[in-house]
Amino acid sequence: MKRRLDAHVTMQKVVPNVTQSYRDLWKIPKEHQSVGFMSCDNEDVMWLAMDDATKKARITAVYAETVYGGVEYSWSKFGGEITAVISGETVSDVKNGLRYMQDFIENRAQIYMLNEEGTLGYYADWIPRAGKYYQRTLGVKEGESIAYLVSTPVESTYALDKALKASNTKIAQLFNTPSRVNTGGGIVVGTESACRAAVEAFAEAVEYCAFHPMDLE
């Protein structure tokens, strides 16, 4: 039984006027006065949400990192699985960025579970046009599409090969296994149609692994 799983923002805060020590710590652009912080209960959707916000709001994505082990290993129920930091010239810019991120996280997350217990799943999504964050960090060209492909280690490693073979894409980032939250996969780049094909092939391969764990081709 395939079902979509929701993701949630667990906390968000704004610092209207950043101090010089924080500016140095987070490498905030000198023209930016405000900073926003956000935590989320799924790391994968946060990366795409942050990149998406750079296309819509006047912000810079200055930092993001996942925790070890996942959302269950935290001192607070608000800790989430990842923390992101964005900056902007004004408080309004930062608030707009956080709003766009929250909308992406809570309304556009392509997380799927394949069984009732929630123990078999994956995240696979394609973005028609990469934002400024991925252009800067991965060297994706303006106008190029990306596909974000992640699952558990063996499934993702097997499925990433299938995705590359089924599409004219190339790897922009490999998620070496195991990640901090025990996943694997990668980001591939190409045309919009190629990235869609990569997502479809990845999802099909993960589902094959999940329901045929001991079969050898």
Side-chain angles (χ1 to χ4, degrees), residues 15-19 23 28-35 87-91 94:
V15 176
N17 296 295
V18 69
T19 63
R23 184 181 302 282
I28 298 167
K30 61 181 181 180
E31 66 275 14
H32 287 190
Q33 301 303 316
S34 300
V35 177
S87 67
E89 292 187 18
T90 68
V91 172
V94 171

Side-chain angles (χ1 to χ4, degrees), residues 13-37 58-64 84-91 93-94 136:
K13 288 289 176 281
V14 173
V15 176
N17 296 295
V18 69
T19 63
Q20 187 59 47
S21 60
Y22 253 36
R23 184 181 302 282
D24 296 339
L25 178 67
W26 301 110
K27 296 181 174 58
I28 298 167
K30 61 181 181 180
E31 66 275 14
H32 287 190
Q33 301 303 316
S34 300
V35 177
F37 302 92
R58 296 177 56 192
I59 57 100
T60 295
V62 297
Y63 175 85
V85 183
I86 64 172
S87 67
E89 292 187 18
T90 68
V91 172
D93 291 334
V94 171
R136 173 170 55 86

Side-chain angles (χ1 to χ4, degrees), residues 5-78:
L5 188 68
D6 291 333
H8 307 90
V9 172
T10 53
M11 183 171 284
Q12 55 182 342
K13 288 289 176 281
V14 173
V15 176
N17 296 295
V18 69
T19 63
Q20 187 59 47
S21 60
Y22 253 36
R23 184 181 302 282
D24 296 339
L25 178 67
W26 301 110
K27 296 181 174 58
I28 298 167
K30 61 181 181 180
E31 66 275 14
H32 287 190
Q33 301 303 316
S34 300
V35 177
F37 302 92
M38 177 179 283
S39 57
C40 169
D41 62 6
N42 182 280
E43 67 143 333
D44 298 297
V45 69
M46 174 71 93
W47 296 105
L48 293 184
M50 190 170 61
D51 182 67
D52 185 68
T54 64
K55 296 184 290 187
K56 300 174 179 177
R58 296 177 56 192
I59 57 100
T60 295
V62 297
Y63 175 85
E65 194 54 85
T66 60
V67 302
Y68 285 98
V71 70
E72 300 299 323
Y73 298 87
S74 175
W75 282 10
S76 165
K77 66 179 181 179
F78 305 114

Side-chain angles (χ1 to χ4, degrees), residues 100-116:
Y100 285 124
M101 289 168 66
Q102 182 174 11
D103 176 67
F104 192 102
I105 289 166
E106 298 188 345
N107 297 309
R108 295 174 57 186
Q110 299 299 309
I111 310 166
Y112 289 98
M113 286 298 166
L114 305 175
N115 62 355
E116 193 64 38

Side-chain angles (χ1 to χ4, degrees), residues 140-160:
V140 179
K141 296 177 182 177
E142 186 174 0
E144 279 190 311
S145 299
I146 62 171
Y148 191 103
L149 312 169
V150 67
S151 186
T152 45
V154 173
E155 290 97 313
S156 63
T157 304
Y158 175 86
L160 185 58

